[in-house]
Amino acid sequence: MRTLISTAFVSLDGVMEAPGGEAGYRNAGWTFKGIDFLPEAYELKGREQKEATAMLLGRASYEAFSPVWPGMAEFGDYKELPKYVVSTTLTEDALVDDWGPTTILRSLDEVAALKETEGGPVLVHGSIALNHALSDAGLIDRYHLLVFPVLLGAGKRLFSATDKDAQQLRLVEQQAYANGIQLQVFDVVR
């Protein structure tokens, strides 16, 4: 069985929207504003690329990443990884040719079936709506969070607001960096 890992940059108040500067959001680019860059704070991102065996994305994140990430040296290890895009509307002809094999999954049942296959970790990048659906369905096994010392107030949040039973998490790794970023890795307790 594969481990499904949600990996995200989040503000202290849980916002994950537009960390890199995506247009249309008041605080876009918040990961770069007022925070000193320390390479060690991003070590997890390099480790993820080495350990991941597949990526899972929602349609909007796929459409945002696929024109950019294939040519970025920082994400070179992701290029040939199998990609899975969860969407009921994306068509095969909308997939890019230069970003490794990509499969469209049409339901959370297909995600659950993917988790049952042999292989290593599957990373979920971005994909706010997909993260909510995966969490609500109990499909996320681990969270890799880089928590930034900023309060954004408005914005789309990593965690679903669905009224559901409490979900316990176990902290398995943590680190605080001089620039205020905190690494928090949590396993979902089953």
Side-chain angles (χ1 to χ4, degrees):
M1 180 174 205
R2 299 175 104 172
T3 301
L4 188 61
I5 300 170
S6 173
T7 180
F9 293 161
V10 294
S11 66
L12 191 59
D13 55 348
V15 173
M16 67 180 284
E17 183 174 21
E22 300 82 339
Y25 175 65
R26 176 182 176 179
N27 291 312
W30 51 267
T31 58
F32 302 112
K33 295 177 182 173
I35 297 173
D36 293 332
F37 179 77
L38 293 177
E40 60 270 24
Y42 300 92
E43 178 273 335
L44 175 67
K45 297 292 137 193
R47 191 173 4 139
E48 287 174 345
Q49 285 191 63
K50 299 296 183 201
E51 295 173 358
T53 60
M55 270 176 127
L56 182 68
L57 300 164
R59 180 200 46 82
S61 290
Y62 177 80
E63 289 175 341
F65 297 159
S66 65
V68 180
W69 280 23
M72 293 180 73
E74 303 96 300
F75 302 113
D77 290 329
Y78 287 148
K79 187 161 182 150
E80 296 307 318
L81 279 184
K83 317 297 178 298
Y84 297 91
V85 183
V86 181
S87 175
T88 58
T89 59
L90 190 68
T91 59
E92 294 288 333
D93 62 331
L95 300 176
V96 299
D97 293 330
D98 63 341
W99 203 26
T102 304
T103 303
I104 300 172
L105 303 179
R106 299 294 181 191
S107 69
L108 292 180
D109 288 339
E110 290 185 49
V111 174
L114 171 65
K115 282 188 60 175
E116 294 297 324
T117 63
E118 293 295 319
V122 178
L123 291 179
V124 181
H125 281 280
S127 308
I128 295 169
L130 178 59
N131 260 289
H132 292 177
L134 293 169
S135 174
D136 290 348
L139 293 173
I140 295 175
D141 301 301
R142 176 175 274 197
Y143 290 94
H144 286 183
L145 307 178
L146 286 179
V147 181
F148 285 70
V150 62
L151 299 173
L152 298 171
K156 295 177 184 173
R157 287 171 163 63
L158 171 61
F159 299 106
S160 167
T162 300
D163 184 9
K164 58 186 175 187
D165 290 339
Q167 184 174 55
Q168 297 297 315
L169 305 175
R170 179 173 45 272
L171 183 66
V172 295
E173 185 179 350
Q174 65 180 337
Q175 181 72 44
Y177 301 98
N179 61 0
I181 294 174
Q182 295 178 34
L183 163 69
Q184 299 175 355
V185 176
F186 292 97
D187 280 344
V188 175
V189 177
R190 304 248 188 251

